[in-house]
């Protein structure tokens, strides 16, 4: 039961005070001679304990299905099928000997680049490093990509949205069934019995001058100014308390710890000056109002307490009973119910839980980023609704209906939070839509009401309208997270041990703590600010966009490479050795690395990057670029064949052993293929550097701009320059030195091996070089424009809107 927690000791607990029974046997006797003063019975070990279950969850985390992982197998099969076509064409074009099979295998291997698996995870690795610099730590890297798709963010309240602990706000006295007009902030100005009550009604201990206990109790005791003295030597006193001026002394003779089931605690205190024994009961204002004598409860008690709660106060109540000069032995034999019977309501105790400085700004940023924010707290519903309004989670001027029930078996009673008027049917309220197409009414539910909705199955329909879940137990938070996970990718942010279950259950969990919550959560932050949530989503979206850019870059590399090989096999030529080296080292590795260095967007965009490898957005980008590159390569070959100085089949590969592939590149066909495809390989990095909704503008990726420009400059120089030693490294615009001199270029010794060509060179005429270079520049421009305007731009957006209007938008609409 919940009451047993007060008598439970957990592993690792430091015992500060022990008040057990007296020895049953002789002093100093062991177990055989009599029971020791205090015994501890071990109830659970290993995975039967909460810590054991925690370790078990860490070692065996909850499995979840991500659309990227599901579609990856299909994407690989498609690439294999595409490679199979290239394999068959290679055998057909190069003959049916062993060499053709080797060339076909080469085509197949290029279709599935070895860097492809790394491309899908490189974004999350870059994001993890950037998060670490912002003091956000990740122990489960795949969750970073999952964070990119978060649509619902659940927040604990105390310590997460609000500051750590509660700040004392004041006391409002109640006497003779009347509530005082204003709250009193200075406890030392209160009547004597209330000073004793607030000084004694708690479970605070003094350990070497440090107050230990519940933060609320500690703050309450600190405000009284009283001191805890060493215990008296008699059997009736638990604690001795003295007032600030030393004139008043009180002895705590009975203490009943706080129980969640009763929502209260009680103490019996003897005033040493008068000898009177006072009973004080402290707890939630609802519970104390039920316990107190009916005649002492003001008519406007509930309304006053609710008004304080709506103003963001944590409201407790104190009841008092004077037993007179009672015998302490008789007091010790009275039950708790007997002591509490007949207490008069004495005061309201008010605390404030103020927002952190950046909470409202972070919530606004999440809302701008198309992320719904929801509060899941163990605090009272009124306080939770106030904080939700204060931080902007509940929109201004929104009506809030609160659903509560005493037990999960009772019917839910809906009331208006502001007017306190009951609402018999909430459906007409939810049917009133605002200009955004969503209901203007927000819902809040208590823990028992949430359990009732889950039991009846109504939670599914009401979940998108519930903004605040109050009085939630740790188990209730887990269930709340699971219900949201049925409809959208859900994240949870909390700071305490009671949030660990929900932090682990959600798709993404962020603990603003370095304690046990940070162990079980995939993400943790030492910043203690929900600004970390914004940073996590920004880096997650940037990481997913980067991974997809790297993936598309390598798929484009594969399609361009297979296109290059099929075309060269058709002409029975092979591009020079230096071209392969540049493509497979500098371009594929260097530019891939540069693509991943795109910087994260400064603000969250109103949307999330796609996670579908087979989605229309991804396929349109990949195959559109492939089609454009095919068209320009075939156009370049057609342009070559249209030249008067070019004679078809001047290079006859039938006279050469095709296994000697390095002899098949000294010709115009291989040269033109090399130039065009080099530009296409390089430009793929520029094309997939776009994506400024989740990453910063194209030009801010300084590494890519540098490498991209340098590669284009090198290939342009090789294409346009007259014969020189650098160009001869690529076997482009080069030839045997005597032949080149005969063409009128006056070159010095080119230091090149003899050309394997009847004409002894492959120098392109200057006019054709510029024409070919212009064609390659046009290829670059068309590819960039297609990605910018069609895939990412207005054409793509209009096509998406048209499709949604024609076939319906299956995406779940959520009110932000």
């Amino acid at each position: 039961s919940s009451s047993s927690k007060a008598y439970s000791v957990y592993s690792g607990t430091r015992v500060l005070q022990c008040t057990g029974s007296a020895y049953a046997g002789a002093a100093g006797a062991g177990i055989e001679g009599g029971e020791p003063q205090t015994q501890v019975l071990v109830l659970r070990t290993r995975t039967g304990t909460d810590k054991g279950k925690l370790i078990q969850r860490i070692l065996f985390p909850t499995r979840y299905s991500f659309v990227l992982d599901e579609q990856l197998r299909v994407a690989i099969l498609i690439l294999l099928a595409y490679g199979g076509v290239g394999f068959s064409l290679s055998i057909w074009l190069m003959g049916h000997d062993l060499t053709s099979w080797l060339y076909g295998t080469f085509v197949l291997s290029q279709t599935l680049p070895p860097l492809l698996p790394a491309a899908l995870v490189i974004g999350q690795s870059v994001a993890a490093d950037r998060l670490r610099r912002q003091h956000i730590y990740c122990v489960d890297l795949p969750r970073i990509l999952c964070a990119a798709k978060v649509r619902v963010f659940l927040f604990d309240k105390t310590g997460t949205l609000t500051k750590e602990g509660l700040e004392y706000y004041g006391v409002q006295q109640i006497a003779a069934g009347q509530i005082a007009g204003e709250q009193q902030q200075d406890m030392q100005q209160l009547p004597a019995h209330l000073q004793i009550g607030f000084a004694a009604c708690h479970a605070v201990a003094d350990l070497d001058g440090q107050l230990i206990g519940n933060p609320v109790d500690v703050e309450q005791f600190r405000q009284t100014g009283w001191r805890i003295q060493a215990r008296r030597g008699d059997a009736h006193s638990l604690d001795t308390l003295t007032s600030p001026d030393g004139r008043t002394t009180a002895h705590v003779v009975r203490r009943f710890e706080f129980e969640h089931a009763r929502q209260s605690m009680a103490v019996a205190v003897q005033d040493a000056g008068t000898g009177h024994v006072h009973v004080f009961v402290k707890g939630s204002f609802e519970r104390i109002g039920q316990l107190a004598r009916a005649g002492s409860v003001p008519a406007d008690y509930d309304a006053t307490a609710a008004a304080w709660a709506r103003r963001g106060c944590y409201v407790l109540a104190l009841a008092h009973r004077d037993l007179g000069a009672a015998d302490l032995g008789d007091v010790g034999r009275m039950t708790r119910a007997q002591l509490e019977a007949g207490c008069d309501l004495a005061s309201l105790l008010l605390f404030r839980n103020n927002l952190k400085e950046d909470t409202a700004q972070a919530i606004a940023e999440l809302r701008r980023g198309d992320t719904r924010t929801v509060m899941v707290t163990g605090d009272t519903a009124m306080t939770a609704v106030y904080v939700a309004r204060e931080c902007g989670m509940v929109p201004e001027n929104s009506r809030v209906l609160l659903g509560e029930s005493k037990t999960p078996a009772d019917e839910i009673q809906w009331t208006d939070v502001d007017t306190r008027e009951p609402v018999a049917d909430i459906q007409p309220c939810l049917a009133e839509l605002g200009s955004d197409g969503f209901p203007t009414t927000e819902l809040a539910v208590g823990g028992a009401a949430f359990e009732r909705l889950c039991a009846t199955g109504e939670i599914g329909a009401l979940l998108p309208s519930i903004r605040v879940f109050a009085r939630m137990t740790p188990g209730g938070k887990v269930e709340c997270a699971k219900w949201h996970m049925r409809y959208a990718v859900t994240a949870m942010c909390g700071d305490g041990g009671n949030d660990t279950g929900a932090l682990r259950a959600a798709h993404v969990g962020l603990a603003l703590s370095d304690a046990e919550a940070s162990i079980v959560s995939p993400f943790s932050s030492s910043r203690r600010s929900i600004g970390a949530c914004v940073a996590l989503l920004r880096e997650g979206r940037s990481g997913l966009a980067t991974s997809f850019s790297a993936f598309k870059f390598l798929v484009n590399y594969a399609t361009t490479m297979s296109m290059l090989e099929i075309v060269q096999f058709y002409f029975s030529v092979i591009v020079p050795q230096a071209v392969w080296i540049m493509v497979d080292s500098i371009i594929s590795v260097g530019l891939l690395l540069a693509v991943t260095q795109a910087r994260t967007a400064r603000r969250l965009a109103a949307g999330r990057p796609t996670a579908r490898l087979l989605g229309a957005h991804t396929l349109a980008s990949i195959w559109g670029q492939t089609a454009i590159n095919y068209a320009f390569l075939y156009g370049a070959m057609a342009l070559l064949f249209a030249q008067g100085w070019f004679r078809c089949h001047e290079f006859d590969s039938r006279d050469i052993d095709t296994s000697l592939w390095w002899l098949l590149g000294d010709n115009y066909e291989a040269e033109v293929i090399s130039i065009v495809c080099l530009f296409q390989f390089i430009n793929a990095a520029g094309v997939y550097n776009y994506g400024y909704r989740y990453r910063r503008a194209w030009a801010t990726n300084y590494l890519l701009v540098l490498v991209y420009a340098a590669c284009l400059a090198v290939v342009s120089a090789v294409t346009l320059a007259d014969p020189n030693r650098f160009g001869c490294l690529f076997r482009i615009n080069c030839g045997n030195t005597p032949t080149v001199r005969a063409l009128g270029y006056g070159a010095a010794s080119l230091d090149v091996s003899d050309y394997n060509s009847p004409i002894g060179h492959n120098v392109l005429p200057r006019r054709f070089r510029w024409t070919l270079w212009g064609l390659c520049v046009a290829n670059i421009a068309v590819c960039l424009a297609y990605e910018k305007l069609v895939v990412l731009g207005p054409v793509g957006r209009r096509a998406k809107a048209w499709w949604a209007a024609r076939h319906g938008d299956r995406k779940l609409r959520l009110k932000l």
Side-chain angles (χ1 to χ4, degrees):
S1 65
S2 60
S3 62
S4 66
K5 292 182 179 180
Y7 310 103
S8 300
V9 179
Y10 298 95
S11 175
T13 301
R14 182 182 180 188
V15 179
L16 304 178
Q17 189 179 43
C18 190
T19 55
S21 60
Y23 281 93
I31 297 295
E32 295 81 3
E35 290 186 344
Q37 188 174 9
T38 301
Q39 285 185 326
V40 178
L41 176 65
V42 177
L43 300 178
R44 292 181 292 273
T45 60
R46 305 181 68 176
T47 55
T49 65
D50 291 338
K51 290 289 186 182
K53 292 177 181 176
L54 183 63
I55 298 299
Q56 189 178 44
R57 293 192 193 104
I58 294 173
L59 295 177
F60 305 100
T62 304
R63 297 180 62 88
Y64 66 93
S65 178
F66 196 42
V67 65
L68 186 151
D69 300 320
E70 295 175 355
Q71 295 187 351
L72 180 59
R73 300 183 184 91
V74 181
I76 291 177
L77 289 176
I78 292 174
L79 289 175
L80 280 174
Y82 180 79
V85 174
F87 178 81
S88 303
L89 289 174
S90 300
I91 295 176
W92 176 57
L93 293 172
M94 296 294 287
H96 300 280
D97 56 4
L98 178 61
T99 303
S100 65
W101 282 82
L102 293 175
Y103 283 137
T105 304
F106 183 66
V107 173
L108 187 61
S109 65
Q110 291 290 344
T111 307
L112 283 174
L115 290 175
L116 195 60
L120 293 173
V121 299
I122 194 168
Q124 67 192 33
S125 300
V126 173
D129 182 64
R130 291 175 177 172
L131 287 171
R132 181 180 55 79
R133 296 175 197 169
Q134 301 175 64
H135 306 287
I136 303 172
Y137 307 99
C138 177
V139 296
D140 190 355
L141 288 182
R143 302 269 180 162
I144 293 179
L145 300 186
C146 194
K149 302 297 289 183
V150 167
R151 296 194 63 197
V152 178
F153 222 126
L154 309 181
F155 290 96
D156 178 40
K157 182 182 74 69
T158 306
T160 303
L161 297 173
T162 60
K163 295 178 180 179
E164 297 283 349
L166 296 169
E167 298 178 6
Y168 170 73
Y169 190 63
V171 173
Q172 193 164 29
Q173 299 181 50
I174 300 174
Q178 298 293 323
I179 299 178
E182 298 292 335
Q183 80 271 19
Q184 177 70 44
Q185 293 188 337
D186 187 358
M187 283 193 177
Q188 297 182 27
Q189 301 299 320
L190 297 173
H193 71 283
L194 286 182
Q195 291 189 45
I196 294 175
F198 289 124
C201 196
H202 55 74
V204 176
D206 189 331
L207 180 64
D208 299 329
Q210 182 180 1
L211 299 178
I212 305 296
N214 183 282
V216 175
D217 285 348
V218 171
E219 179 68 11
Q220 167 195 317
F221 182 72
R222 185 179 289 115
Q223 292 297 323
T224 65
W226 286 51
R227 297 182 301 276
I228 300 176
Q229 303 296 330
R231 294 177 57 189
R232 299 192 312 173
D234 59 70
H236 297 295
S237 176
L238 298 177
D239 283 315
T240 298
L241 309 165
T242 57
S243 63
D245 57 12
R247 297 179 181 178
T248 306
T249 302
H251 307 294
V252 180
V253 296
R254 296 289 300 276
R255 179 185 290 124
F256 298 93
E257 302 285 351
F258 178 83
E259 294 183 11
H260 284 282
R262 302 175 69 95
Q263 295 185 341
S264 65
M265 70 166 295
V267 293
V269 186
Q270 184 187 47
D271 184 346
T274 63
H276 283 215
V277 176
H278 301 269
V279 176
F280 296 97
V281 185
K282 184 186 73 175
S284 67
F285 71 86
E286 301 98 332
R287 180 60 176 167
I288 301 303
Q290 297 171 0
L291 286 174
R293 190 174 55 84
S296 68
V297 180
D300 59 346
Y301 171 72
D302 288 333
T304 301
W308 282 116
R310 286 196 298 273
R311 293 170 60 181
C313 287
Y314 181 69
V315 185
L316 298 176
L318 183 73
H320 168 249
R321 177 187 179 189
D322 189 348
L323 298 181
D327 180 80
L328 296 184
D330 293 338
V331 173
R333 287 187 290 272
M334 295 176 70
T335 64
R336 180 171 183 174
Q338 291 173 331
L339 286 171
E340 294 178 349
C343 286
D344 290 337
L345 201 59
S347 73
L348 293 175
L349 178 60
L350 308 175
F351 294 89
R352 288 294 296 268
N353 199 192
N354 296 320
L355 285 177
K356 294 179 180 178
E357 288 76 5
D358 60 346
T359 293
Q361 179 182 353
I363 294 295
E365 182 73 9
L366 289 172
R367 288 168 58 87
R368 283 194 297 267
D370 194 29
T371 305
R372 175 176 170 82
T373 54
V374 178
M375 185 186 299
V376 185
T377 178
D379 207 344
T380 60
M382 290 296 187
T383 304
V385 170
Y386 171 83
V387 172
R389 281 175 164 169
E390 191 78 3
C391 70
M393 191 176 289
V394 173
E396 293 183 9
N397 303 321
S398 291
R399 185 185 186 189
V400 180
L401 302 182
L402 172 61
E404 292 183 304
S405 62
K406 293 183 178 179
T407 68
D410 297 330
E411 292 293 328
I412 299 176
Q413 304 297 321
W414 295 95
T415 57
D416 189 301
V417 168
D418 299 307
T419 65
R420 302 301 295 169
E421 295 179 357
V423 178
D425 186 6
I426 65 172
Q427 293 304 324
C429 300
L430 296 179
E432 298 177 6
L433 304 181
S435 58
D436 58 357
F438 291 101
T440 57
T441 299
E442 300 276 5
L443 301 182
V445 296
F450 172 72
E451 293 182 31
R452 171 75 179 180
L453 291 173
C454 292
T456 60
E458 299 176 76
I459 186 65
L462 295 180
L463 191 68
S465 299
I466 301 177
R467 183 71 69 173
V468 175
F469 296 83
R471 290 297 188 196
M472 297 291 283
T473 63
K477 291 184 178 183
V478 173
E479 288 303 312
C480 182
K482 289 183 176 179
W483 272 102
H484 281 89
M485 291 167 66
R486 298 186 184 187
Y487 299 96
V489 178
T490 303
M492 172 70 191
C493 180
D495 73 312
N498 60 344
D499 301 317
T500 54
L503 288 170
R504 193 61 182 174
H507 292 115
V508 177
L510 173 60
L512 304 182
S513 169
D514 51 8
E516 60 185 5
S518 65
I519 300 174
V520 71
S521 177
F523 300 92
S524 61
S525 174
S526 57
R527 290 171 55 184
R528 307 295 179 90
S529 163
I530 67 167
C533 301
V534 178
L536 175 59
L537 295 197
R538 284 196 301 110
E539 297 296 347
R541 293 180 182 184
S542 174
L544 181 58
T546 297
S547 289
F548 264 67
S549 293
F551 172 79
K552 290 189 288 186
F553 172 78
L554 287 178
V555 173
N556 185 282
Y557 164 87
T559 57
T560 304
M561 182 65 76
S562 62
M563 173 184 67
L564 177 152
E565 290 165 343
I566 292 173
V567 172
Q568 70 179 5
F569 292 162
Y570 175 80
F571 293 107
S572 297
V573 299
I574 293 182
V575 299
Q577 186 176 8
V579 174
W580 294 112
I581 295 174
M582 184 173 182
V583 170
D584 287 335
S585 58
I586 298 176
I587 293 178
S588 65
V589 177
L591 284 175
L592 175 63
L593 176 62
V595 166
T596 64
Q597 301 307 304
R599 303 171 71 185
T600 305
R602 289 186 174 88
R603 306 185 70 175
L604 282 177
R608 285 155 291 276
T610 181
R612 297 182 178 274
L613 295 174
L614 302 179
H617 183 275
T618 306
L619 295 180
S621 177
I622 292 174
W623 296 115
Q625 296 291 334
T626 300
I628 293 172
N629 287 339
Y630 264 99
F632 273 92
L633 178 58
Y634 292 147
M637 297 307 296
L639 181 64
L640 173 65
F641 275 73
Q643 301 305 307
W645 47 264
F646 175 77
R647 287 177 293 175
C648 183
H649 301 305
E650 181 157 24
F651 172 77
D652 191 354
S653 62
R654 291 176 297 179
D655 297 334
I656 299 176
D657 184 355
T658 55
S659 63
L660 304 177
W661 61 270
W662 56 90
L663 301 178
L664 303 179
D666 296 339
N667 49 78
Y668 291 121
E669 293 94 325
E671 182 178 28
V672 171
I673 294 172
S674 299
I675 292 172
V676 175
C677 289
L678 279 172
F679 276 106
Q680 292 176 348
F681 281 123
I682 296 169
N683 190 52
V687 166
Y688 297 124
N689 189 46
Y690 281 126
Y692 56 87
R693 294 188 67 192
Y694 316 107
R695 300 179 295 171
R696 294 190 198 176
W698 194 95
T700 60
N701 187 347
Y702 303 123
L703 179 61
L704 182 128
V705 171
L706 177 63
V707 179
Y708 180 77
C711 289
L712 288 180
V714 168
V715 178
S716 296
V718 170
T719 303
L720 298 173
D722 289 339
N724 59 81
R725 290 191 177 186
F726 183 70
C728 288
L729 290 176
F730 295 89
R731 312 288 282 192
I732 293 175
N733 285 323
C734 189
N736 299 325
T737 302
T739 305
V740 172
R741 288 175 178 171
L743 293 175
Y745 289 102
S749 177
L750 297 176
D751 193 21
V752 64
S753 59
D754 289 342
Y755 254 58
N756 184 46
S757 171
I759 61 176
H761 73 92
N762 62 352
V763 180
L764 297 170
R766 288 192 179 94
R767 183 180 182 85
F768 183 79
R769 285 182 232 160
W770 282 97
T771 303
L772 181 61
W773 182 81
L775 183 72
C776 293
V777 171
N779 188 354
I780 292 174
V782 171
C783 286
L784 292 173
Y786 174 79
E787 190 73 14
K788 175 78 172 179
L789 301 177
V790 177
V791 178
L792 302 175
V795 176
R797 290 193 293 269
R798 290 177 182 176
K800 183 178 180 180
W802 173 83
W803 181 268
R806 185 178 180 88
H807 300 279
D809 190 355
R810 293 179 296 175
K811 179 181 177 181
L812 177 66
R813 297 182 71 242
L814 293 174
K815 183 177 182 180
L816 303 179

